[in-house]
Amino acid sequence: MNLRLDIAYDGAPFHGFARQPDVPTVQGTLEDALGKLFGGPVATVGAGRTDAGVHALGQVVSVADAPADLDPVKVRDSLNGMLAPSIAVAVCAPAAADFHARFSARSRTYVYAILEGDVPEPFLAPTTLYHPEPLDLGVMNEAAGHLAGPHDFSSFGRVPPEQSAERVVYELSVRRSGSILRIKARANAFIQQMVRSLVGTLMVVGEGRRAPDEMPAIIEARDRAAAGPVAPPHGLCLVSVEYDEAWSRPLGRLRE
Amino acid sequence: MNLRLDIAYDGAPFHGFARQPDVPTVQGTLEDALGKLFGGPVATVGAGRTDAGVHALGQVVSVADAPADLDPVKVRDSLNGMLAPSIAVAVCAPAAADFHARFSARSRTYVYAILEGDVPEPFLAPTTLYHPEPLDLGVMNEAAGHLAGPHDFSSFGRVPPEQSAERVVYELSVRRSGSILRIKARANAFIQQMVRSLVGTLMVVGEGRRAPDEMPAIIEARDRAAAGPVAPPHGLCLVSVEYDEAWSRPLGRLRE
């Protein structure tokens, strides 16, 4: 059967989501655990290839060839026993036969968290970037307005040669809640390091070192040197992946 | 001058608060950093000797012989630069000459956090005990009522030979907020492992394996075998230390 997993993970111990030889990755760790449960090699597809150190609350994974007779709740509980504490499977459920975690996704939503204030906070340190000086939210949102939309984002990340860097950013916004500033980015897809590069650029604007109206020229440059720095990974989290209504929810705990 | 530090720390990397030779401790790490700032050995006093792996949000430390000409805010910022991310100094301020973090304290408040539910949570894993099965709050609070008050707590912790295990528990209560259950314990002082032993005993009651009315006999036994197990340290946090009004607040950022 086709299985959908909704997972959360602490990115710190992993070299990113995508499986690589010889280093711990989220996908590799998950596939190894599924392999033990299913008794053979298992291939998974993830909706977002999060970079090393980036966290997830709502990553979605599909497993095309899961055994037909499995009990999804037992699989979830067994995986949680094997993967704790760094990875948690929130939902494990049969999915429609044509559901594909990556290709069926309409958009991905990331949130970058920044802690402001005179004093750092040990319990927020793993998931927020500490930035003592307050950032100017107004100019950051003005700059975000320029960066949202369909653009060639070559200035903001890496793409393999010959591939397009065209993406559509549906939402890029900054809000403050207490001493935490959150930058939300939703796009049809992101090129590598794009969210962190957008965040780094918005931070430079928030610090008053660049102006919002410089953004169009940065996009036009199609040159990574034109943008701000890449913000560190630990402030970033893939919070959700959006699907069409038909796929918006797992089929529940029924067997397919 | 006499200096007061209000500090928070992630207990995971430390062998407890109290300085020990050859292992990382909160007090040792803090004293080493102060020693670098002040140019010589520094002795500190902490309000609570948290065990290995136990966290703090509101630990209070006094430093009796700090240089008279220091700028407390600069000391705070320098310490935070040296101690991040595991320890944070929230407040550094001159204190009255007779303020003593330990002997001036009237009570200590600890909170133990337990995450219930079908699914663990990676970002809560460092600070909450995961317990999938729901606990029975009613019987836990009934048992807590028996355990509160002035008692000889020999059944719930260690005291050095010849010393009294008499303590006064002013509050012991359990409440649920969403999927997190919090056990709050406030006492004039705690003997070693006492909070975690009270928590372990309340959990056994919440699981239905002991009855609330067994608590008086457990206290009477003055025998650690009579109580429940010692709950793991990572769910526990020293949230605040209470002082008399005169000492309830640092003197502010003014130099003494």
Side-chain angles (χ1 to χ4, degrees), chain B residues 172-193:
Chain B
L172 186 63
S173 60
V174 192
R175 64 195 169 84
R176 182 175 274 127
S177 167
S179 53
I180 297 182
L181 192 137
R182 287 191 178 82
I183 301 175
K184 181 175 173 184
R186 186 167 70 85
N188 62 342
F190 294 90
I191 63 174
Q192 209 184 350
Q193 296 190 335

Side-chain angles (χ1 to χ4, degrees), chain A residues 9 76 85 88-89 118-120 122-123, chain B residues 9 76 85 88-89 118-120 122-123:
Chain A
Y9 48 84
R76 180 197 70 186
V89 178
D118 290 340
V119 174
F123 301 101
Chain B
Y9 48 84
R76 180 198 69 188
V89 179
D118 290 339
V119 175
F123 301 101

Side-chain angles (χ1 to χ4, degrees), chain A residues 58-84:
Chain A
Q59 172 75 285
V60 179
V61 173
S62 53
V63 188
D65 297 308
D69 60 343
L70 61 77
D71 176 337
V73 173
K74 281 193 186 158
V75 170
R76 180 197 70 186
D77 293 347
S78 302
L79 287 174
N80 283 329
M82 298 162 85
L83 300 172

